[in-house]
Amino acid sequence: MRQRTLGTITVGAVGLGAMPLSIEGRPDEQRAVATVHAALDAGVTLIDTADSYHWHAGERGHNERLIARALRLYGGDTSDVLVATKGGRGRSGDGSWTVTGTPGHLKRAAEASAGRLGVEAIGLYQLHKPDPAVPWAESVGALRDLLDAGTIRSAGISNVTTDQIREAHAILGDGLVSVQNQYSPAVRDSEPALRLSTRLGLAFLPWSPLGGISRSSLDGPAGPPSAGTAFHAIAAERGISPQRVALAWLLACSPAVIPVPGASRPASVQDSAGAADILLSEAERARLGAVLA
């Protein structure tokens, strides 16, 4: 798989968003572990999780424990796998999400995540979402403290504005390596954040990157995905899936982009991983750009 830079390391150009393995409608553990193993077999070396990726009340850290178990059970070398986790959000078990960005909570959450992942230091720890009740600088300052303490090796921020990226970069310096916002063919509000991340040398990790092409685990019963778009036409011409075309388009948007599509089946993650080796022609990119414009 082609590689991309994330901080001081390189990872596969397409990662795995592990959330569907633990939230509502999740697969059984055998299939979940098989999905992670299929990702590793396909060259994926970035796995994105969070302490809040769980279904029922009292399951905090379900996804982190699942990923740690899958890595232990894998028969191959996993030393180059970066598990990125997040803190600052919670779930009560009724489908709702909460936000808690106090420094004390984030520090305790990071320490607990490290324990569940079985690591001395978390490779990439991301602030899941700004808490409107807590000054942004205080939440980001907690990441600075975690870096200084050696609890985490690098920091990321998620669901942020360009102003928040600039402030976090000023506080964290080289410790800040990534931005994770929603970005897809259907949702492109974060284009300014993508451009700024590229200028600052930060990896940009689009979550729900197949919006408009596939349903996200967060979409709920919102109807079927789009069909008959230029993505589908190019996919038919190439004999590949429209999902793979969408991920290839994201990779072509910027060298900073490392999409983390979710998957709950081995076949899905294998198809997504194949996008890393798809190079769209200038004519194909122009066709897609014309539709998106």
Side-chain angles (χ1 to χ4, degrees):
M1 181 185 289
R2 283 191 294 153
Q3 303 288 294
R4 295 232 155 154
T5 300
L6 203 167
T8 60
I9 66 172
T10 58
V11 296
V14 176
L16 169 64
M19 183 178 72
L21 302 177
S22 290
I23 64 166
E24 294 86 336
R26 66 194 180 202
D28 61 42
E29 184 171 315
Q30 182 178 4
R31 195 176 93 187
V33 170
T35 300
V36 176
H37 289 178
L40 300 175
D41 290 341
V44 170
T45 54
L46 171 63
I47 300 176
D48 180 72
T49 181
D51 62 359
S52 56
Y53 289 170
H54 62 86
W55 186 347
H56 307 292
E59 286 190 323
R60 178 172 289 274
H62 181 280
N63 199 243
E64 293 172 322
R65 287 188 291 269
L66 172 65
I67 297 305
R69 189 157 54 250
L71 291 175
R72 288 196 301 270
L73 293 172
Y74 187 62
D77 182 15
T78 60
S79 60
D80 62 344
V81 176
L82 174 64
V83 178
T85 191
K86 297 182 284 293
R89 300 207 75 179
R91 303 196 80 195
S92 61
D94 62 359
S96 62
W97 296 75
T98 60
V99 182
T100 307
T102 60
H105 172 82
L106 292 172
K107 292 175 185 178
R108 291 189 298 271
E111 291 167 358
S113 288
R116 287 187 289 264
L117 293 171
V119 297
E120 292 184 3
I122 297 170
L124 172 58
Y125 191 69
Q126 305 161 96
L127 202 165
H128 206 153
K129 187 176 184 179
D131 184 344
V134 178
W136 179 237
E138 292 184 12
S139 295
V140 176
L143 298 182
R144 176 76 268 168
D145 292 343
L146 288 166
L147 285 165
D148 292 343
T151 308
I152 67 176
R153 293 195 177 96
S154 59
I157 51 178
S158 182
N159 299 300
V160 289
T161 65
T162 52
D163 286 343
Q164 289 166 334
I165 294 172
R166 292 188 185 94
E167 187 171 2
H169 189 254
I171 294 170
L172 298 171
D174 291 341
L176 179 67
V177 301
S178 66
V179 172
Q180 186 172 164
N181 280 11
Q182 185 176 16
Y183 192 74
S184 69
V187 180
R188 301 190 304 283
D189 296 344
S190 283
E191 284 183 1
L194 168 57
R195 291 194 296 270
L196 177 59
S197 297
T198 303
R199 288 199 300 272
L200 293 176
L202 305 175
F204 187 83
L205 316 178
W207 63 264
S208 197
L210 297 175
I213 306 298
S214 291
R215 298 261 312 279
S216 165
S217 297
L218 294 176
D219 286 343
S226 300
T229 69
F231 289 89
H232 295 77
I234 291 172
E237 292 163 8
R238 282 179 166 262
I240 60 177
S241 70
Q243 289 83 2
R244 195 178 290 190
V245 174
L247 293 172
W249 168 76
L250 282 166
L251 290 168
C253 288
S254 165
V257 170
I258 307 171
V260 286
S264 60
R265 297 181 298 114
S268 297
V269 73
Q270 289 166 342
D271 184 66
S272 292
D277 297 319
I278 300 295
L279 297 176
L280 298 174
S281 68
E282 290 187 13
E284 288 171 328
R285 291 176 61 184
R287 286 169 64 188
L288 297 174
V291 172
L292 295 173

